[in-house]
């Protein structure tokens, strides 16, 4: 099968599926090895992006999915029901950020960081499928460890966790720029 | 110090409130003016109290912590030589970490807005491939064997001669009537027995057949009830009156 | 809006909709007049066809819809679990044998021979096209008479029924009521 045909088959399969398909499954369906598959998907993705096509391919963890380009949302919104979900509360997004960056993380770690009980937010995130239990901590009481899901990646347009900016990049700006050396010592936590 | 008036905003927690106070006072997280901040923090709690807002224990824990830090900073240092850790350090570290996550949360909110512009489509209807194994492993020989089996079974079911039939069915070595009595007397005592227990310790096939017929007869005349209790068939005694009552209920 | 952008918007809208969209509605959503819309859709359709893309645009009456190109159906089908038809059961093989050797037969003859209701097997064989109705029996109720089909011959690779392995003739005594008479006598105590 030549590259052009593999590209078309991938396009047909991603279109028909609608859902995200794992790289493994796609390579099985298209009948090419994973390396070839990934390079062809990359080629197709670049082509869509370069031509500013109406569709694009997004990566969600180890899955690929076909979607509309955000740029055309204004038009698409006119026929498609927007995904109905009440916006996450400030508290819930905070908890989600902690889970995303510190995963796998227990309820009590989350509570410690925020200084306040966060069970409601954790439960809401579980309910929304944005986080899930990833196992138990090997400690007394064996508390659950939480991590983010593929749904999280999709909902926040993040192709993989490694794509998230490092937590240190969120610099704490200071009102006074002439800080003493002493403060430096504190920053290095 | 200037008075800080609150609109009594709600905060996500005590750390959120502290960050708010620090920002409001335009002071550095790395050098928190602990007595001022503590004072304002306590003032906020008082207002919460005034407006009858329940103050969660987490706010009180931090309040105690602030007062402790404040007391430590006020205490004269015993030994100038010995370098003591800044008592504010731990709190500052917590606040910085929390603030980082607040920023990460703000970042995620932006991402969410971007993601909400992306639309997906539902799956197409896809006709599944049919793997038809109906006739795999079925050959003409199987058909032949099947018809031969049928023929053989039929030959066993040929009509019996009248004489042979009388020999088999005419003689009743165990009477059904005796078994009706046996089953009833058992039930009168035990009220409920397992169906299979009726046949316990029976020695001959005739006895089993007679007992089975007895059970059928008793069901027919509404003297016993049969129920399936999770796969265990049980037989219980219906006394005549109740039996009749049930019938009346049914009529109504 | 230039042609390329109109093309992309149409692509995004048709993709997200999934369903067919009328020309009127599409022209309203994309915010171009119908003539322009139709010419751009035509352009896009031709491009997909020329490049043998995985997707295509089909016109259904006065509606447009995006779909996968039929050529790649073989791959697309692999997205879903294949449906499996299990091998014929012993009972069904028996019914098939009876029909094959005793045709034409009625349902009740089959039932009498086997001593059990055989409707499920008869229906399965009808569905598989291995047997078919060959007429009606001239008797009360005019029951259907079943016989084997050409598909049956094909499936068993025989050219005619005379090629079936021979059996010793056996008589079908129907109905066989001896036992019922005997049992009747016993049950009526």
């Amino acid at each position: 099968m030549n590259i052009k045909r593999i590209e078309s088959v991938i396009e047909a399969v991603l279109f028909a599926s609608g859902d995200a398909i794992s790289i493994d499954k796609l390579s099985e369906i298209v009948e090419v090895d994973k390396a070839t598959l990934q390079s062809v998907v990359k080629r197709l993705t670049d082509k869509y992006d370069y031509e500013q096509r109406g569709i694009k391919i997004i990566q969600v963890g180890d899955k690929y999915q076909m979607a509309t380009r955000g740029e055309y949302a204004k038009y698409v919104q006119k026929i498609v029901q927007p995904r109905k979900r009440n916006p996450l509360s400030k508290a819930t997004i905070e908890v989600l950020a902690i889970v995303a960056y510190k995963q796998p993380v227990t309820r009590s770690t989350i509570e410690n960081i925020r200084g306040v009980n966060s069970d409601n937010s954790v439960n809401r995130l579980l309910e929304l499928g944005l986080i899930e239990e990833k196992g138990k901590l090997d400690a007394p009481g064996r508390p659950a460890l939480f991590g983010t899901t593929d749904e999280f990646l999709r909902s926040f347009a993040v192709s993989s966790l490694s794509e998230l900016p490092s937590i240190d990049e969120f610099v704490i700006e200071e009102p006074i720029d002439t800080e003493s050396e002493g403060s430096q010592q504190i920053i290095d936590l | 110090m200037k008075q800080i008036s609150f609109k009594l905003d709600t905060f996500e927690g005590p750390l959120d409130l502290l960050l708010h106070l620090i920002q409001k006072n335009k002071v550095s997280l790395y050098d928190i003016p602990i007595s001022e901040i503590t004072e304002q923090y306590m003032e906020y709690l008082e207002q919460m109290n005034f407006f009858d807002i329940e103050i969660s224990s987490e706010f009180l824990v931090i309040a105690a912590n602030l007062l402790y830090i404040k007391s430590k900073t006020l205490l004269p240092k015993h030994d100038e030589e010995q370098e003591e850790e800044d008592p504010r350090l731990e709190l500052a570290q917590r606040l910085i970490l929390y603030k980082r996550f607040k920023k990460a949360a703000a970042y995620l909110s932006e991402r969410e807005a971007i993601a909400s512009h992306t639309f997906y489509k539902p799956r197409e209807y896809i006709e599944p491939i049919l793997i038809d194994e109906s006739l795999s492993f079925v050959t003409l020989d199987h058909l032949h064997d099947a018809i031969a089996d049928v023929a053989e079974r039929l030959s066993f079911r040929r009509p019996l001669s009248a004489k042979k039939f009388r020999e088999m069915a005419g003689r009743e070595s165990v009477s059904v009537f005796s078994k009706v009595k046996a089953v009833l007397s058992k039930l009168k005592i035990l009220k409920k027995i397992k169906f299979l227990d009726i046949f316990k310790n029976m020695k001959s096939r005739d006895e089993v057949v007679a007992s089975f017929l007895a059970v059928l007869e008793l069901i027919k005349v509404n003297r016993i009830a049969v129920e399936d209790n999770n796969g265990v068939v049980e037989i219980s005694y219906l006394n005549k009156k109740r039996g009749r009552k049930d019938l009346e209920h049914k009529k109504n």
Side-chain angles (χ1 to χ4, degrees), chain A, chain B:
Chain A
M1 204 154 44
N2 65 35
I3 301 284
K4 262 196 86 60
R5 189 173 157 88
I6 297 175
E7 219 178 82
S8 293
V9 171
I10 291 170
E11 188 174 54
V13 171
L14 287 179
F15 172 83
S17 158
D19 282 338
I21 305 187
S22 75
I23 293 167
D24 288 345
K25 177 106 193 261
L26 201 55
S27 122
E28 196 188 303
I29 290 173
V30 184
E31 294 167 2
V32 294
D33 63 284
K34 268 168 65 173
T36 308
L37 178 94
Q38 283 176 303
S39 81
V40 180
V41 170
K42 173 90 173 60
R43 216 182 98 121
L44 190 58
T45 307
D46 290 348
K47 198 161 99 181
Y48 287 161
D49 290 347
Y50 179 73
E51 296 175 10
Q52 304 249 67
R53 300 289 302 275
I55 51 180
K56 63 175 181 177
I57 295 172
I58 59 164
Q59 189 173 350
V60 183
D62 64 344
K63 291 177 177 155
Y64 294 119
Q65 185 165 16
M66 201 179 266
T68 61
R69 193 168 298 280
E71 216 177 315
Y72 310 118
K74 171 188 154 201
Y75 305 98
V76 176
Q77 263 159 358
K78 289 195 242 177
I79 42 151
V80 180
Q81 293 293 327
R83 268 161 292 160
K84 259 180 257 152
R85 199 229 286 148
N86 294 329
L88 297 177
S89 70
K90 249 179 85 185
T92 306
I93 291 224
E94 261 177 51
V95 172
L96 186 59
I98 293 169
V99 175
Y101 278 96
K102 301 273 302 182
Q103 59 188 308
V105 68
T106 62
R107 280 177 197 263
S108 69
T109 304
I110 298 167
E111 187 169 331
N112 260 323
I113 291 172
R114 299 190 62 234
V116 69
N117 181 299
S118 306
D119 284 351
N120 286 342
S121 294
V122 168
N123 294 342
R124 172 110 178 102
L125 291 168
L126 283 170
E127 200 184 287
L128 291 169
L130 293 171
I131 66 170
E132 66 187 356
E133 203 186 306
K134 298 273 191 182
K136 305 275 189 190
L137 185 67
D138 195 9
R142 298 188 55 71
L145 287 163
F146 297 102
T148 52
T149 61
D150 282 351
E151 184 53 36
F152 162 75
L153 296 177
R154 207 186 346 258
S155 301
F156 290 85
V158 178
S159 60
S160 75
L161 290 174
S162 59
E163 204 205 89
L164 287 175
S166 143
I167 190 75
D168 301 324
E169 282 177 41
F170 298 112
V171 187
I172 309 302
E173 73 288 344
E174 280 302 310
I176 312 142
D177 45 20
T178 50
E179 267 309 306
S180 64
E181 287 143 54
S183 67
Q184 203 53 43
Q185 195 191 325
I186 300 175
I187 295 170
D188 293 336
L189 299 170
Chain B
M1 176 195 120
K2 69 173 187 254
Q3 278 296 110
I4 303 274
S5 68
F6 298 102
K7 274 193 299 172
L8 214 70
D9 300 309
T10 48
F11 294 97
E12 299 296 344
L15 297 183
D16 195 30
L17 171 57
L18 273 179
L19 284 178
H20 171 84
L21 295 174
I22 286 161
Q23 203 184 341
K24 212 157 184 160
N25 287 279
K26 296 189 169 60
V27 293
S28 168
L29 261 173
Y30 303 108
D31 187 19
I32 301 167
I34 203 75
S35 34
E36 278 172 61
I37 295 295
T38 303
E39 204 170 307
Q40 289 170 22
Y41 184 93
M42 300 311 288
E43 194 182 328
Y44 181 82
L45 292 200
E46 260 166 47
Q47 289 195 48
M48 277 174 88
N49 205 18
F50 178 80
F51 287 107
D52 224 14
I53 296 168
E54 200 188 331
I55 300 170
S56 68
S57 59
E58 290 113 346
F59 280 91
L60 301 176
V61 169
I62 293 294
N65 196 359
L66 285 171
L67 291 171
Y68 171 75
I69 295 167
K70 187 177 162 188
S71 68
K72 273 212 117 175
T73 50
L74 294 177
L75 282 176
K77 291 198 171 114
H78 308 296
D79 192 351
E80 288 294 325
E81 304 279 293
Q82 196 187 328
E83 216 178 290
E84 271 197 48
E85 205 179 49
D86 188 334
R88 301 171 301 173
L89 179 64
E90 203 195 320
L91 183 66
Q93 283 174 338
R94 274 191 84 178
L95 287 171
I96 289 164
L97 186 64
Y98 177 54
K99 194 158 183 194
R100 284 225 162 98
F101 282 113
K102 280 181 81 75
K103 293 199 155 191
Y107 168 77
L108 285 181
S109 289
E110 279 168 32
R111 299 295 306 172
E112 195 185 22
I114 292 168
S116 74
H117 287 143
T118 301
F119 292 86
Y120 307 94
K121 72 181 270 296
R123 167 169 292 185
E124 299 287 291
Y125 172 73
I126 302 166
E127 179 74 36
I129 302 167
L130 178 67
I131 299 177
D132 194 343
E133 293 189 337
S134 297
L135 288 176
S136 38
F137 323 117
V138 183
T139 63
L140 280 181
D141 285 346
H142 289 99
L143 286 187
H144 181 258
D145 291 351
I147 202 74
D149 274 359
V150 169
E152 199 183 332
R153 285 205 317 264
L154 279 177
S155 70
F156 278 117
R157 281 157 60 188
R158 291 266 162 73
L160 297 164
S161 67
K163 180 169 170 275
K164 212 162 182 199
F165 180 75
R166 257 195 307 280
E167 276 172 17
M168 284 174 68
R171 178 171 35 91
E172 200 182 28
S173 65
V174 181
S175 79
V176 174
F177 183 65
S178 69
K179 286 298 169 189
V180 166
K181 285 207 293 192
V183 171
L184 281 181
S185 62
K186 226 179 211 174
L187 276 173
K188 268 180 190 157
I189 302 160
L190 298 169
K191 300 300 172 211
K192 191 177 248 188
I193 49 176
K194 283 184 193 140
F195 174 68
L196 288 178
D197 286 352
I198 291 173
F199 307 99
K200 249 188 200 162
N201 304 325
M202 288 197 173
K203 290 182 186 68
S204 73
R205 191 168 164 162
D206 287 348
E207 207 181 347
V208 172
V209 171
S211 299
F212 182 66
L213 291 173
V215 170
L216 291 181
E217 186 59 24
L218 287 167
I219 294 168
K220 198 167 121 193
V221 300
N222 212 20
R223 290 295 299 278
I224 60 173
V226 182
E227 58 189 310
D228 182 351
N229 195 356
N230 289 327
V232 180
V233 178
E234 289 177 335
I235 293 192
S236 56
Y237 184 63
L238 286 177
N239 65 44
K240 279 205 160 148
K241 276 180 211 152
R242 224 186 87 205
R244 223 173 281 133
K245 232 188 217 166
D246 286 350
L247 279 177
E248 276 160 21
H249 274 300
K250 270 178 200 159
K251 266 181 214 156
N252 299 337

